[in-house]
Amino acid sequence: MFCKTDSYYHISISFGFSQSSSGEINNMKIFMNRSEAGKILAAKLSTYAKRSDVMILALPRGGVPVAYEIAKALSVPLDVLIVRKLGVPGFEELAMGAIVMGGTMVFNDEIVHQLNIPKEAIDRVIQSEQEELKRREINYRGDRPLPKLTDKTVILVDDGIATGATMRAAIQALRQYKPLNIIIAVPVAGLETCEEMEPLVDKMVCALKPQYFHAVGEWYQDFSQTSDTEVHELLKKNK
């Protein structure tokens, strides 16, 4: 439930989970870190190993360590598709939308309308995130274009899905390149979100689908931020 005051947003949500000291939530084992999560996903994607028609695209930064382990295990190439979440002003972790390199933009109309976010505030967020997206595009890709994706099976990888805005934007942007298949591979996403996302792609692989889901980071023992340096190193190691 969302309610807005004059100065900030309150978000009131009831959760039905409890985390134990043994690294489990409601008897579901959480991941040690993003690398472990990637190895678990790789086992679920083994049928795509050593195929010349398969390409893995990670959503940086957090999706890169996950995707690296998948690409290494499957012996397939890895690249990045840069997407930026458009966070709600005052509560930036909550996505009201997302933008992708190339200009594709997707909004979560329900959140925008429920919180009555003014257009001026949305425009400020868009401008800020466009600048960061451009910085990352130059930083991670330079002037290197995306590899050929037409008629490829593309596996989109992130470290988890919360609202789904970022992944929806990535899917929409990816379709313009006419891939043969689009597969989502994530370690964790809420059950309801998974059910909403599955019709949008050819296949969805998700290791954990908790009924009660608050934030991606709660399903990792180590969810420390992935640095630009780590992204560079992992992309370089995959070449």
Side-chain angles (χ1 to χ4, degrees):
M1 173 182 167
F2 304 98
C3 56
K4 183 181 175 185
T5 69
D6 290 337
S7 58
Y8 59 95
Y9 298 100
H10 283 295
I11 299 186
S12 176
I13 309 175
S14 295
F15 303 109
F17 63 76
S18 60
Q19 183 167 350
S20 71
S21 59
S22 61
E24 294 183 351
I25 298 178
N26 283 1
N27 298 319
M28 298 177 74
K29 188 179 185 302
I30 66 176
F31 304 105
M32 183 182 302
N33 51 34
R34 292 180 178 90
S35 293
E36 182 193 51
K39 292 172 183 176
I40 290 171
L41 283 177
K44 296 178 179 295
L45 293 162
S46 59
T47 55
Y48 299 98
K50 298 181 180 179
R51 283 177 43 175
S52 61
D53 64 331
V54 173
M55 180 80 202
I56 294 180
L57 291 181
L59 306 190
R61 291 179 289 200
V64 175
V66 181
Y68 171 77
E69 296 295 343
I70 299 172
K72 182 172 71 170
L74 270 54
S75 299
V76 295
L78 167 67
D79 212 314
V80 290
L81 182 66
I82 303 170
V83 184
R84 288 296 295 169
K85 176 174 62 181
L86 300 174
V88 171
F91 198 84
E92 283 71 19
E93 285 303 307
L94 178 63
M96 62 179 174
I99 55 174
V100 190
M101 52 186 283
T104 298
M105 198 174 303
V106 172
F107 284 95
N108 186 324
D109 292 332
E110 182 180 359
I111 288 178
V112 172
H113 293 151
Q114 279 189 325
L115 298 181
N116 194 26
I117 305 171
K119 183 178 183 301
E120 296 77 13
I122 294 173
D123 289 342
R124 286 194 295 271
V125 174
I126 291 173
Q127 181 178 352
S128 174
E129 294 302 338
Q130 282 177 331
E131 292 171 359
E132 176 60 15
L133 187 146
K134 189 63 179 176
R135 183 196 73 81
R136 291 194 182 192
E137 189 171 358
I138 293 171
N139 192 12
Y140 301 157
R141 306 196 59 81
D143 57 0
R144 182 171 53 88
L146 273 175
K148 183 178 178 295
L149 301 176
T150 304
D151 295 328
K152 296 275 189 180
T153 291
V154 178
I155 304 176
L156 281 174
V157 180
D158 205 353
D159 54 13
I161 299 177
T163 66
T166 302
M167 189 61 76
R168 286 175 187 271
I171 293 166
Q172 187 170 318
L174 187 56
R175 292 212 181 278
Q176 67 183 308
Y177 298 100
K178 296 180 170 53
L180 180 64
N181 296 296
I182 298 176
I183 298 168
I184 294 175
V186 292
V188 61
L191 178 60
E192 185 177 348
T193 300
C194 287
E195 291 172 348
E196 293 172 353
M197 300 293 291
E198 283 174 349
L200 304 180
V201 292
D202 299 285
K203 184 176 182 179
M204 182 162 183
V205 178
C206 185
L208 296 179
K209 300 178 184 179
Q211 182 177 358
Y212 300 107
F213 181 91
H214 176 211
V216 171
E218 291 178 338
W219 295 87
Y220 289 85
Q221 293 180 33
D222 176 7
F223 197 64
S224 53
Q225 190 174 74
T226 304
S227 67
D228 284 342
T229 299
E230 185 177 359
V231 171
H232 279 292
E233 289 175 351
L234 293 177
L235 291 175
K236 186 176 179 181
K237 285 170 68 174
N238 180 258
K239 295 190 182 303

